[in-house]
Amino acid sequence: MTDTRRRVKVYTLNEDRQWDDRGTGHVSSAYVERLKGMSLLVRAESDGSLLLESKINPNTAYQKQQDTLIVWSEAENYDLALSFQEKAGCDEIWEKICQVQGKDPSVDITQELIDESEEERFDDMSSPGLELPPCELSRLEEVAELVASSLPSPLRREKLSLALENEGYIRKLLELFRVCEDLENREGLHHLYDIIKGIFLLNRTALFEVMFSEECIMDVIGCLEFDPSLPQPRRHREFLTTTARFKEVIPISDPELRQKIHQTYRVQYIQDMVLPTPSVFEENMLSTLHSFIFFNKVEIVGMLQDDEKFLTELFAQLTDEATDDDKRHELVNFLKEFCAFSQTLQPQNRDAFFKTLSNMGILPALEVILGMDDVQVRGAATDIFSYLVEYNPSMVREFVMQESQQNDDDILLINLIIEHMICDTDPELGGAVQLMGLLRTLVDPENMLATANKTEKTEFLSFFYKHCMHVLSAPLLANTTEEKPSKDIDYRLAVKSLCTFHTHFSYPGALRFMRKIIGLKDEFYNRYIMRNFLFEPVVKAFLNNGSRYNLINSAVIEMFEYVRVEDVKSLTAHIIENYWKALEDVDYVQTFKGLKLRYEQQRERQDNPKLDSMRSILRNHRFRRDARTLEDEEEMWFNTDEEDLEDGEAVVPPSDKMKSDEDLMDPISKFMERKKRTLLQHAGGIILMSSYYDPLFVCKMLLTLLDGGLVGLVDYPDDDEEDEDEEDADSKEESPPLSKKSKLSS
């Protein structure tokens, strides 16, 4: 049977002063030869690996807190803690530590690091203890001075803590507080503020347990209301007893759990709202207060998670249609705080926590909550949903895919999230931006799982495009219709989401999205664009814009220019066959005429497949001298006919659109000349490569060329006869199929 007495969790304090869980195991004490001393050993209960091996150093200060915690520092900024499942195990290990250090096990701290000078140390050690003044109104100033003078010295703090603990002094001070408040004795109340604040800085668990007890904590908060630096006292107790009154949304049968929840909330309030902002020095002296709150939360989550009756009732009321709105509001706020507390759990316990919530039906419950009109309730539901998505997005994806098999698209959880995102009435769009981030996490392929039997990326993205994309794109499509979209719909969020969450809004945002899709060069998307004639609204917007030189004009021209330059053949054919008549009169840029030329080239190749077949043969059999691949210049040679227009000449301002017919025809004439040259270069290449196989074929080809009067075009002209416009394309960039030296002699 497992020894539960020695079952512990190992914690380390990180740079943010938060405790990180390092695992659960069983602790023992033994002599370790390597460390030359008695040590604390913790072995993981899962696989027996060593979670902790720490020598019990005679000079290390160990603290026992809340009966089940042992905390110490092994090095600067490296704090450790053992949280025991049972008090008996904590007492056993504490006795071992005290035995090694020669201390009485009744103490809560073995020793503290000494920073005083030798003289101060001698003075402190020579006195047997610290004697406190009588707890009377007339001596409060003296007590405040004693506390303030003890804080800089670790030994004096230790003696003061023991004196306060042993004499029950804190309860006496709180009795004086009630007297001073009844008498409206401001001076005495100011002294009590300084005294109680100083006791917090003693960083002593035993004192906190007294101060945070049910009968004392409200008086402690009352003392801290009378800050001498403020003209009027604060009203923290009034807030805690009226505004922040505790409501049991589900009856808690365990009185210990109920008391623990009360205590944790009030102590958290003291830390966040009551105590003044600590200095760097004081922050280090409040570490025990941080630990007290942290381990209280761990204990609360564990106790609630183990109470199946409580959780069953919670989710039953959340999803019950008979539950009124106010009650559901309280339930969802409790669930939000419950999930927030879960962040204190160690990873394996957090797994069990969220699995329990999933089995209880937290996601169907969120659907009900998100359907409510109360903005605050929906905000709390969004926070809960964010915990689930950030912790385990795959769990959420699996739920929504299963849900789609039973429900219509309109009531799917993920579609509710999208609708709340695009219908957010907040001018700052705070909730919408939060939901947008969660949506991005869900559709991000980088965090999707892939196993031998299941590919989450394929399944979920297919589901999303089928069931959710129309909801996400609906505001964008509504904005392009003649009717104005609903005022409740902010299409900017849809555009922002679709465009990989960029910050460009209005119609150019839609163009930007379509441009990004085209930029993927994915024929799946291209077929979708063509099948649904998605260029039609783009062309209409472009023509309606007229000759105005603005953002829409530039965005549309750039999109078509990209199709031309990248030679996206399917889209080129689609554009020319469906929209050429509407665009043929646009002559202030060469983009659309360039697309027409691309289209004609494609048709020419389709009508004359022999040329493409010959290219394929030559690519597969050329030279055979080595295993090298086609070189860049050889590829350029075969593809010369595709480079008919310079990429940089497409987009120009409409102010330059008045051109003569001769100017408009000039590019076409150049293209035809270049086309003629390219065809003959291909012929020359065929001749050159065929000489390796059939010399007779070469002779026949030469005679044919001579007979047609085309040899001069195969040969390169002299430098003084070469056309300037042709120089860059033919002489500099491309490797000629025949060198000038050989001409046709080879």
Side-chain angles (χ1 to χ4, degrees):
M1 182 176 179
T2 304
D3 185 2
T4 58
R5 291 181 304 122
R6 294 193 177 188
R7 191 169 184 265
V8 296
K9 298 177 183 177
V10 181
Y11 292 91
T12 58
L13 197 65
N14 60 31
E15 295 179 354
D16 297 327
R17 307 298 297 173
Q18 299 294 325
W19 288 101
D20 291 334
D21 197 326
R22 297 303 183 187
T24 301
H26 293 84
V27 64
S28 62
S29 60
Y31 184 86
V32 177
E33 181 65 30
R34 182 177 61 83
L35 300 177
K36 305 296 182 183
M38 291 293 295
S39 304
L40 297 177
L41 306 174
V42 179
R43 295 195 176 276
E45 64 179 0
S46 58
D47 56 7
S49 61
L50 196 62
L51 296 178
L52 177 69
E53 185 181 66
S54 174
K55 180 181 178 181
I56 303 175
N57 195 308
N59 299 320
T60 297
Y62 292 85
Q63 297 183 58
K64 186 169 73 167
Q65 303 176 7
Q66 298 175 285
D67 293 333
T68 56
L69 288 173
I70 298 178
V71 183
W72 73 98
S73 298
E74 289 211 339
E76 186 177 357
N77 297 326
Y78 186 68
D79 293 352
L80 290 162
L82 294 179
S83 176
F84 289 79
Q85 181 170 329
E86 296 184 13
K87 180 179 182 298
C90 183
D91 292 340
E92 179 183 344
I93 296 299
W94 183 251
E95 290 179 3
K96 295 286 186 181
I97 294 172
C98 292
Q99 181 181 354
V100 172
Q101 292 197 340
K103 302 292 182 180
D104 187 346
S106 63
V107 301
D108 288 337
I109 183 170
T110 58
Q111 57 190 304
E112 294 197 46
L113 297 176
I114 309 300
D115 296 327
E116 303 97 337
S117 64
E118 291 295 328
E119 183 178 353
E120 290 175 324
R121 189 184 310 175
F122 177 78
D123 291 341
D124 283 328
M125 295 182 66
S126 62
S127 58
L130 186 66
E131 184 176 353
L132 294 171
C135 193
E136 301 172 356
L137 283 175
S138 58
R139 307 295 291 273
L140 283 178
E141 182 176 4
E142 183 180 348
V143 175
E145 292 176 352
L146 176 63
V147 172
S149 63
S150 300
L151 291 177
S153 168
L155 279 178
R156 289 176 186 158
R157 290 204 307 271
E158 174 69 14
K159 291 182 178 181
L160 176 60
S161 299
L162 291 174
L164 291 170
E165 182 181 349
N166 295 335
E167 299 180 19
Y169 208 82
I170 292 178
R171 284 186 167 83
K172 297 177 183 178
L173 288 171
L174 297 178
E175 290 175 3
L176 283 181
F177 164 74
R178 290 190 287 271
V179 173
C180 288
E181 191 171 33
D182 290 340
L183 298 175
E184 298 184 355
N185 185 341
R186 285 299 181 91
E187 183 180 1
L189 292 171
H190 289 164
H191 289 319
L192 283 167
Y193 171 89
D194 292 331
I195 294 169
I196 296 299
K197 178 187 173 185
I199 294 176
F200 268 94
L201 296 176
L202 292 175
N203 211 27
R204 185 86 172 190
T205 303
L207 299 179
F208 286 159
E209 290 176 350
V210 175
M211 297 166 70
F212 299 153
S213 62
E214 186 70 21
E215 61 271 18
C216 294
I217 190 168
M218 295 305 290
D219 288 334
V220 169
I221 294 173
C223 291
L224 295 174
E225 290 179 349
F226 294 91
D227 187 345
S229 63
L230 299 177
Q232 296 294 329
R234 300 291 182 91
R235 299 188 179 277
H236 297 299
R237 287 172 295 171
E238 180 180 339
F239 173 81
L240 290 172
T241 55
T242 58
T243 307
R245 298 179 69 177
F246 178 72
K247 296 181 180 179
E248 289 188 63
V249 293
I250 302 294
I252 298 176
S253 57
D254 187 349
E256 182 183 355
L257 173 59
R258 187 186 303 109
Q259 190 275 332
K260 186 71 68 175
I261 293 174
H262 280 294
Q263 183 189 63
T264 304
Y265 177 79
R266 292 167 179 171
V267 176
Q268 184 81 63
Y269 183 84
I270 290 173
Q271 181 190 45
D272 296 339
M273 305 299 298
V274 180
L275 286 176
T277 303
S279 63
V280 176
F281 172 72
E282 292 174 339
E283 179 70 27
N284 294 329
M285 298 172 70
L286 291 173
S287 60
T288 303
L289 179 62
H290 300 320
S291 301
F292 190 97
I293 296 171
F294 176 84
F295 289 109
N296 260 22
K297 290 180 178 179
V298 172
E299 190 172 353
I300 289 171
V301 173
M303 296 171 74
L304 284 173
Q305 188 177 347
D306 293 339
D307 192 340
E308 294 185 4
K309 181 180 179 181
F310 178 87
L311 290 179
T312 301
E313 183 65 20
L314 171 66
F315 284 99
Q317 292 194 28
L318 270 175
T319 55
D320 189 353
E321 295 181 358
T323 303
D324 60 65
D325 291 347
D326 291 338
K327 180 68 172 179
R328 189 173 280 113
H329 190 174
E330 296 172 357
L331 291 167
V332 73
N333 282 331
F334 173 83
L335 185 58
K336 172 187 171 181
E337 191 169 2
F338 188 34
C339 291
F341 275 26
S342 71
Q343 303 306 299
T344 62
L345 296 174
Q346 65 185 53
Q348 56 265 41
N349 287 352
R350 202 178 308 165
D351 283 339
F353 172 81
F354 282 110
K355 187 175 182 180
T356 299
L357 293 185
S358 178
N359 294 336
M360 290 289 180
I362 187 171
L363 288 168
L366 286 178
E367 283 187 324
V368 176
I369 300 169
L370 288 169
M372 297 179 64
D373 296 330
D374 193 317
V375 176
Q376 293 182 344
V377 170
R378 291 208 310 266
T382 300
D383 292 335
I384 297 171
F385 186 68
S386 69
Y387 285 121
L388 298 172
V389 172
E390 291 169 8
Y391 178 73
N392 193 346
S394 293
M395 178 182 71
V396 179
R397 295 189 193 105
E398 183 177 0
F399 169 79
V400 296
M401 285 191 291
Q402 292 177 352
E403 182 191 28
S404 65
Q405 300 174 5
Q406 302 174 355
N407 299 330
D408 296 334
D409 290 354
D410 294 340
I411 60 175
L412 296 181
L413 174 61
I414 195 168
N415 285 341
L416 287 176
I417 296 296
I418 294 173
E419 289 176 6
H420 286 308
M421 180 188 75
I422 60 182
C423 297
D424 189 9
T425 57
D426 180 11
E428 301 296 328
L429 299 178
V433 172
Q434 181 185 9
L435 291 172
M436 184 170 59
L438 298 176
L439 187 62
R440 286 191 63 182
T441 301
L442 288 175
V443 300
D444 184 5
E446 296 299 323
N447 61 34
M448 293 184 183
L449 302 177
T451 62
N453 300 323
K454 180 180 179 181
T455 303
E456 187 179 34
K457 183 187 302 184
T458 303
E459 292 185 3
F460 182 77
L461 291 180
S462 298
F463 155 82
F464 186 82
Y465 281 111
K466 181 178 180 180
H467 297 279
C468 308
M469 182 56 77
H470 66 282
V471 180
L472 184 60
S473 59
L476 180 61
L477 298 176
N479 191 65
T480 61
T481 61
E482 295 181 0
E483 298 180 1
K484 293 184 179 179
S486 171
K487 293 183 179 180
D488 294 334
I489 295 179
D490 192 334
Y491 70 93
R492 299 174 301 166
L493 264 296
V495 172
K496 192 173 183 181
S497 302
L498 292 170
C499 296
T500 320
F501 306 93
H502 283 286
T503 57
H504 297 273
F505 301 140
S506 74
Y507 190 80
L511 289 175
R512 185 180 182 88
F513 172 60
M514 188 169 179
R515 171 65 175 79
K516 284 184 173 292
I517 292 178
I518 294 173
L520 296 175
K521 297 182 181 179
D522 190 325
E523 281 302 310
F524 175 83
Y525 292 114
N526 292 344
R527 288 193 298 271
Y528 184 88
I529 290 172
M530 294 184 292
R531 184 170 63 250
N532 293 278
F533 294 94
L534 299 185
F535 275 110
E536 183 171 341
V538 176
V539 173
K540 285 183 178 179
F542 177 70
L543 297 176
N544 291 337
N545 187 64
S547 60
R548 287 176 293 176
Y549 185 47
N550 53 20
L551 186 59
I552 291 179
N553 179 274
S554 298
V556 173
I557 291 176
E558 193 280 333
M559 180 190 296
F560 286 108
E561 178 68 8
Y562 178 84
V563 174
R564 185 196 71 80
V565 172
E566 297 297 324
D567 194 16
V568 185
K569 294 180 174 57
S570 58
L571 295 184
T572 299
H574 175 76
I575 293 168
I576 297 302
E577 291 172 359
N578 293 278
Y579 310 111
W580 170 245
K581 289 184 178 180
L583 298 171
E584 63 178 337
D585 294 332
V586 180
D587 55 6
Y588 55 84
V589 291
Q590 299 302 308
T591 295
F592 302 107
K593 289 183 172 57
L595 279 171
K596 185 68 162 36
L597 292 175
R598 290 281 196 198
Y599 174 72
E600 291 174 350
Q601 293 171 29
Q602 294 176 26
R603 292 295 300 272
E604 183 178 346
R605 285 193 290 267
Q606 292 172 3
D607 295 340
N608 188 15
K610 293 183 178 180
L611 184 59
D612 285 339
S613 300
M614 182 61 70
R615 290 180 183 175
S616 176
I617 294 172
L618 293 177
R619 284 192 175 99
N620 292 333
H621 300 284
R622 67 185 318 181
F623 303 137
R624 297 293 185 181
R625 291 186 174 182
D626 51 43
R628 69 184 182 89
T629 58
L630 296 178
E631 296 179 356
D632 292 341
E633 63 269 19
E634 294 167 337
E635 283 288 352
M636 291 173 62
W637 172 51
F638 275 112
N639 296 320
T640 303
D641 59 322
E642 299 177 1
E643 302 299 329
D644 50 88
L645 291 176
E646 296 295 331
D647 291 346
E649 66 182 16
V651 181
V652 295
S655 58
D656 297 336
K657 72 176 185 176
M658 300 301 296
K659 296 180 180 293
S660 64
D661 293 340
E662 183 179 351
D663 293 333
L664 291 176
M665 292 303 297
D666 185 58
I668 300 177
S669 300
K670 291 180 180 180
F671 166 77
M672 295 306 296
E673 284 294 320
R674 191 175 301 172
K675 184 74 174 178
K676 190 183 299 181
R677 176 184 294 277
T678 299
L679 291 173
L680 291 169
Q681 287 175 350
H682 286 174
I686 294 171
I687 294 171
L688 180 63
M689 281 175 268
S690 299
S691 64
Y692 287 91
Y693 300 100
D694 191 350
L696 182 60
F697 172 78
V698 176
C699 294
K700 291 179 180 178
M701 287 298 299
L702 284 172
L703 291 173
T704 302
L705 293 173
L706 288 169
D707 184 57
L710 301 177
V711 175
L713 291 177
V714 178
D715 187 16
Y716 273 61
D718 295 332
D719 292 338
D720 56 349
E721 298 176 355
E722 192 167 22
D723 184 85
E724 183 178 352
D725 291 332
E726 304 290 324
E727 182 177 352
D728 291 338
D730 297 327
S731 300
K732 294 183 178 180
E733 294 183 4
E734 299 178 349
S735 300
L738 297 176
S739 66
K740 295 178 67 173
K741 290 183 180 180
S742 62
K743 292 190 177 180
L744 295 179
S745 59
S746 61

